[in-house]
Amino acid sequence: MREPSFNEESSFQYKKGKLFCEDTSISQIADEIGTPLYLYSHRALVSNYERLKGTFRRLSPLICYSLKANANLALCRILAGLGAGADILSGGELYKALLAGFPPKRIVFAGVGKTRQELEFALREEIFMFNVESQGELELLEELSRELDGRIRVSLRINPDIDPETHPYITTGLRENKFGLEMDEAEQLYLKLKDSKNIVPKGIHFHLGSQITTTRPYLICVEKMGKFISRLRGEGVNLEYMDMGGGFGIAYREKESPLDIEELASQIAPLIQEYELKLIMEPGRYLVANAGIMVTQILYEKRRKEKKFLIVDAGMNDLIRPALYGAYHEIKKIQEPKKASPMELVDVVGPVCESTDFLAKDRSLPRSQRGEYLAIMDAGAYGFSMASSYNARLLPPEVLVRGEKWTLIRRREGYSDLTKTEATSLEEENLIPSYPLPFAKLQGSGNDFIVVDNRANLIKDGRSLAMKLCPRKTGIGADGLLLLEESQGADFKMRIFNPDGSEAEMCGNGARCIAQFAYLKGIVGRRCRFETLAGIISCQIQGRQGRKVKIGMEEPQDLRLNLRLSLKGEIYEGHYLNTGVPHFVLFTPRVDQVPLKELAPSIRNHPKFRPQGTNVDFVEVEKGSALKVRTYERGVEEETLACGTGAVASALTSNLTCGIPSPVRVKMKGGDLFVYFERAKDNSFSQVFLEGEARLIFEGKISEEVENA
Ligand code: PLP
């Protein structure tokens, strides 16, 4: 099989003037999920693996994908599914390899600094081979193996002192490098292992370095190791495996040639056969590098006399190879440049506060401008896997493309990811201040809320904080405290605490307020989904400052029409419905004249609604199919200016009893709400939406004194 030349057969090609990955337009993905982003081609990954496997077919090697190149689970799963094994370097990589489905009997473990815990983990999982790098590591393995019944397979990693003819920072097989054992030392250790009860010397391991583009270093090393193995056999140490590591180089630029794996296979095959060895290889870059690109957008242009800077939204924290090794990545415009496009000399630089933050230096590129997308080619290996959050930048998302389809295989980080492992709570760690604690005050239809971004989990006890902050004389004053928290399955979670400290399942006005808050703080876009105790709420945010918020409500439950209550000798008829929280709706001709204060508390506590009680809504149907509604809210224990779930309960029951059609305008003291819904023949409701305004009133800081309030 012939090695593909640069870009030939590439999964990244221009079609109709745009760069495509397979059959998917890259700019469409970038428009949808933003940049920077990493993007991988399924086809390229599979064909890289199949080509390698096919080329070495006659030796049937165990191909162990080196996870350090890119440990994304989705990519690992694809390779595991193709029959690859895994080369790991840490407990974390072992964890990911197992999760991705690499069978333990195809996992090899290298690394100069394996800890006791990592070795124990790998022993428990009974991995195939420990590639031991020092005498100390071997002694520790001996010690750990005594507690085990099984026999442990070991290869010693040899430092062959061979120049791989690559970048000095990525050589590993030279004496001056920290890796492996010198041959004399290894020989002594192999001889010692003959007497070991639990450790079986099975093979020999070496890894010369990375991005090696000539076969010579491999050939020299395989010959050298072959002879070494023969000598050891003469001394009674029978090794079966030769693990030749990875390092197979690719062509990062047009004038380069990749490692000729065909030539490599034909050169080493006779030696492997002569020494009757089984071959293991550990390719990383070769499998994933050209299967992936990074997409970035030009933020600004800056002109200097001698050159131009294109400042892009990806930095050295996203792709460190240029900064670390001066590595070259071809850069393509996503919009195909016209044949006659003028070229210009540019530095493509990122937003990070370092002068080494560049993706290309003195590069001749077709003229580009602000807003355009650029593809940083061949970024699939040592791209995301070396990315960091330096400058508190968010790790980019990763996307997998297969034909016309694409899927997010890692979401973009949010700000809360930056603090998720940090200790931030006063209760947990007295040295760390939680105060002053920023809050915002919002109101929706006259229902007012204190909203706190609690994604960093500063507030452990929302209940007591609500009791301190909600009173209007001694606190901030509000109908409730809303905490915006992390969610596993949605954009965020809303927790809502009443002034008496009780936690409510849901509140329509609160939901609108928290959605506007999340929008204003850049936590979500104009569409979002958030979690409440009453389920997931979907939400559309419209208008200036995101003031008009339409939220999808849970489908109503427990409808009981014409429920009769007896109170102090009188009968009251109404309709019960749970719209996230329970409501009892009573129709009345003159809502303003209802003695709400006297009536509502006894309905709220009526035995029929125990133990949780109910909210109470008094509804007047106006001409023109609008409703006038007054609500007594449980938890607040008085009439509030408006209640979202009450508006929904009133609208739905008025549709059932008086045929009022969707959308229903619900007038409450605090303002108007609109309820949208669809009613099925069996009287069930779906597509229930509540629309109304939310407003940010002010922001401030809660002081430590709140603890003493
Ligand atoms: N095996 C070992 C032991 C390594 O250290 C490395 C990379 O550093 C590899 C395999 C993979 O190298 P490459 O990605 O160049 O194939």
Side-chain angles (χ1 to χ4, degrees):
M1 201 176 293
R2 197 172 59 83
E3 198 58 28
S5 63
F6 185 76
N7 273 345
E8 184 196 340
E9 292 176 19
S10 169
S11 294
F12 300 92
Q13 304 277 2
Y14 286 112
K15 293 182 195 174
K16 300 175 212 149
K18 293 249 163 102
L19 192 65
F20 270 59
C21 174
E22 301 192 16
D23 303 316
T24 302
S25 158
I26 295 169
S27 58
Q28 258 174 27
I29 301 176
D31 284 346
E32 198 165 325
I33 64 164
T35 52
L37 71 97
Y38 275 94
L39 187 148
Y40 309 106
S41 154
H42 182 276
R43 188 170 71 210
L45 181 65
V46 173
S47 82
N48 288 343
Y49 178 79
E50 295 298 354
R51 187 181 325 110
L52 189 65
K53 190 173 155 201
T55 307
F56 282 88
R57 192 180 304 114
R58 69 199 110 156
L59 294 172
S60 349
L62 173 60
I63 302 177
C64 292
Y65 169 57
S66 195
L67 259 73
K68 59 184 81 62
N70 188 329
N72 183 289
L73 268 188
L75 305 187
C76 288
R77 282 215 168 101
I78 295 168
L79 290 167
L82 294 171
D87 159 44
I88 56 157
L89 188 103
S90 67
E93 285 190 354
L94 174 55
Y95 167 78
K96 292 195 87 174
L98 295 170
L99 209 59
F102 290 106
K105 63 175 186 302
R106 290 204 201 126
I107 296 179
V108 298
F109 190 0
V112 287
K114 304 179 190 86
T115 63
R116 173 184 284 263
Q117 288 83 354
E118 287 174 323
L119 289 172
E120 281 172 343
F121 181 17
L123 286 167
R124 265 197 319 275
E125 295 298 333
E126 298 183 9
I127 65 159
F128 177 54
M129 192 79 82
F130 289 84
N131 291 332
V132 172
E133 304 224 14
S134 64
Q135 180 170 351
E137 183 188 338
L138 197 60
E139 284 164 6
L140 181 54
L141 258 184
E142 280 269 18
E143 181 195 322
L144 298 173
S145 66
R146 264 177 236 132
E147 292 151 28
L148 299 167
D149 303 336
R151 309 254 289 158
I152 301 166
R153 289 168 298 274
V154 154
S155 289
L156 297 187
R157 176 168 177 176
I158 311 293
N159 184 321
D161 198 22
I162 289 172
D163 183 1
E165 301 163 21
T166 184
H167 190 287
Y169 286 6
I170 46 179
T171 65
T172 51
L174 287 172
R175 272 191 78 184
E176 69 205 50
N177 304 133
K178 65 181 172 180
F179 302 96
L181 292 151
E182 290 194 88
M183 288 178 71
D184 292 350
E185 197 186 359
E187 186 168 354
Q188 294 311 312
L189 292 177
Y190 274 125
L191 293 177
K192 260 200 194 161
L193 282 178
K194 281 205 296 183
D195 303 326
S196 170
K197 270 210 220 109
N198 295 318
I199 295 192
V200 193
K202 270 280 176 190
I204 201 161
H205 175 239
F206 63 87
H207 171 75
L208 296 173
S210 203
Q211 184 53 13
I212 302 171
T213 49
T214 61
T215 58
R216 195 176 40 232
Y218 287 106
L219 186 62
I220 298 172
C221 196
V222 171
E223 269 179 334
K224 196 167 177 181
M225 292 304 121
K227 284 187 189 138
F228 183 47
I229 287 170
S230 281
R231 192 162 79 235
L232 287 170
R233 282 179 180 159
E235 291 172 303
V237 183
N238 282 312
L239 301 182
E240 287 169 55
Y241 291 90
M242 181 186 287
D243 182 339
M244 64 184 292
F248 306 165
I250 67 148
Y252 279 100
R253 47 179 118 198
E254 212 154 342
K255 56 178 193 257
E256 282 174 356
S257 314
L259 178 74
D260 186 340
I261 56 164
E262 179 82 351
E263 183 183 303
L264 180 64
S266 58
Q267 284 176 345
I268 66 167
L271 293 166
I272 299 291
Q273 280 154 356
E274 179 191 331
Y275 293 111
E276 293 176 356
L277 287 164
K278 293 178 195 148
L279 187 64
I280 302 174
M281 54 177 68
E282 303 169 348
R285 184 189 314 271
Y286 184 85
L287 296 180
V288 288
N290 70 2
I293 62 169
M294 184 176 71
V295 184
T296 182
Q297 188 171 34
I298 303 173
L299 297 175
Y300 306 104
E301 299 162 61
K302 206 185 243 191
R303 279 181 197 282
R304 292 275 153 79
K305 241 196 230 146
E306 52 292 344
K307 66 176 147 196
K308 182 170 142 182
F309 291 101
L310 292 180
I311 301 165
V312 296
D313 63 3
M316 62 188 282
N317 70 299
D318 301 297
L319 178 65
I320 201 173
R321 298 190 67 254
L324 197 60
Y325 321 118
Y328 180 98
H329 285 269
E330 197 201 350
I331 297 185
K332 285 187 172 184
K333 287 167 62 129
I334 300 284
Q335 181 79 38
E336 185 173 16
K338 302 241 158 41
K339 287 254 151 48
S341 278
M343 304 295 279
E344 54 187 3
L345 196 66
V346 294
D347 278 8
V348 181
V349 299
V352 170
C353 190
E354 297 286 341
S355 293
T356 48
D357 179 28
F358 64 89
L359 297 173
K361 269 213 155 145
D362 297 323
R363 185 73 61 86
S364 174
L365 285 185
R367 185 173 293 161
S368 313
Q369 59 191 23
R370 246 176 125 163
E372 279 190 69
Y373 294 130
L374 300 177
I376 317 297
M377 305 305 290
D378 307 311
Y382 307 104
F384 189 93
S385 65
M386 290 177 115
S388 77
S389 296
Y390 181 46
N391 278 190
R393 285 173 50 79
L394 306 176
L395 286 176
E398 295 179 285
V399 168
L400 178 69
V401 173
R402 191 171 183 178
E404 291 176 342
K405 294 201 175 128
W406 62 275
T407 179
L408 202 58
I409 55 176
R410 179 192 299 272
R411 67 163 171 82
R412 187 184 302 286
E413 276 194 339
Y415 288 136
S416 61
D417 292 308
L418 295 174
T419 50
K420 84 186 156 211
T421 50
E422 288 183 34
T424 43
S425 164
L426 194 66
E427 287 155 61
E428 273 168 15
E429 183 55 84
N430 276 329
L431 300 173
I432 300 164
S434 302
Y435 296 103
L437 186 66
F439 76 95
K441 177 86 189 287
L442 287 94
Q443 71 100 350
S445 311
N447 240 186
D448 59 345
F449 300 94
I450 300 155
V451 186
V452 177
D453 179 353
N454 194 33
R455 287 174 299 165
N457 216 11
L458 288 169
I459 301 164
K460 291 279 189 286
D461 184 3
R463 188 187 153 82
S464 79
L465 194 66
M467 288 161 75
K468 286 169 179 162
L469 294 181
C470 289
R472 296 189 188 266
K473 296 242 160 104
T474 53
I476 296 166
D479 291 336
L481 168 69
L482 305 179
L483 298 185
L484 187 149
E485 299 192 340
E486 276 294 322
S487 162
Q488 294 301 324
D491 295 311
F492 63 86
K493 185 187 330 175
M494 170 175 89
R495 293 186 69 194
I496 171 163
F497 294 92
N498 292 314
D500 66 359
S502 59
E503 184 166 5
E505 295 94 326
M506 164 63 186
C507 163
N509 291 330
R512 291 205 314 283
C513 288
I514 205 162
Q516 192 205 15
F517 173 82
Y519 173 73
L520 290 175
K521 296 290 167 200
I523 298 165
V524 298
R526 286 202 181 258
R527 278 175 186 271
C528 66
R529 292 168 71 250
F530 60 92
E531 193 184 328
T532 68
L533 289 180
I536 298 277
I537 306 288
S538 63
C539 177
Q540 293 167 29
I541 302 158
Q542 295 155 350
R544 211 161 63 85
Q545 299 286 315
R547 277 195 201 131
K548 203 162 150 196
V549 185
K550 189 170 174 181
I551 54 173
M553 307 290 282
E554 283 290 290
E555 281 168 22
Q557 312 270 332
D558 298 341
L559 172 69
R560 278 179 273 163
L561 288 176
N562 308 318
L563 201 63
R564 290 159 74 87
L565 307 181
S566 99
L567 283 175
K568 297 178 194 148
E570 297 233 22
I571 300 294
Y572 292 85
E573 191 173 303
H575 315 291
Y576 178 84
L577 186 59
N578 190 318
T579 51
V581 287
H583 280 272
F584 188 67
V585 182
L586 298 105
F587 286 87
T588 166
R590 299 290 303 268
V591 80
D592 297 332
Q593 289 176 7
V594 170
L596 188 143
K597 257 192 192 155
E598 291 91 72
L599 214 51
S602 25
I603 299 177
R604 179 249 187 266
N605 292 312
H606 194 277
K608 278 212 167 130
F609 306 121
R610 278 182 197 154
Q612 84 269 36
T614 185
N615 299 284
V616 188
D617 308 282
F618 295 94
V619 178
E620 176 185 331
V621 180
E622 284 192 334
K623 280 197 201 108
S625 73
L627 307 178
K628 218 165 151 187
V629 177
R630 290 173 67 195
T631 300
Y632 177 93
E633 280 191 58
R634 214 179 34 151
V636 186
E637 303 309 342
E638 60 186 358
E639 181 178 8
T640 54
L641 293 175
C643 168
T645 51
V648 174
S650 305
L652 300 185
T653 48
S654 65
N655 174 269
L656 286 168
T657 55
C658 327
I660 309 240
S662 167
V664 180
R665 177 184 195 152
V666 181
K667 296 179 175 177
M668 293 179 146
K669 282 189 182 158
D672 290 1
L673 294 169
F674 292 85
V675 181
Y676 300 73
F677 53 86
E678 280 173 22
R679 177 172 147 191
K681 284 202 184 98
D682 65 355
N683 283 349
S684 64
F685 291 96
S686 61
Q687 301 293 320
V688 183
F689 286 93
L690 174 71
E691 184 186 87
E693 286 203 335
R695 273 169 202 263
L696 174 72
I697 310 300
F698 61 89
E699 294 188 77
K701 298 223 164 84
I702 301 163
S703 93
E704 203 162 343
E705 288 304 315
V706 71
E707 295 285 329
N708 310 316

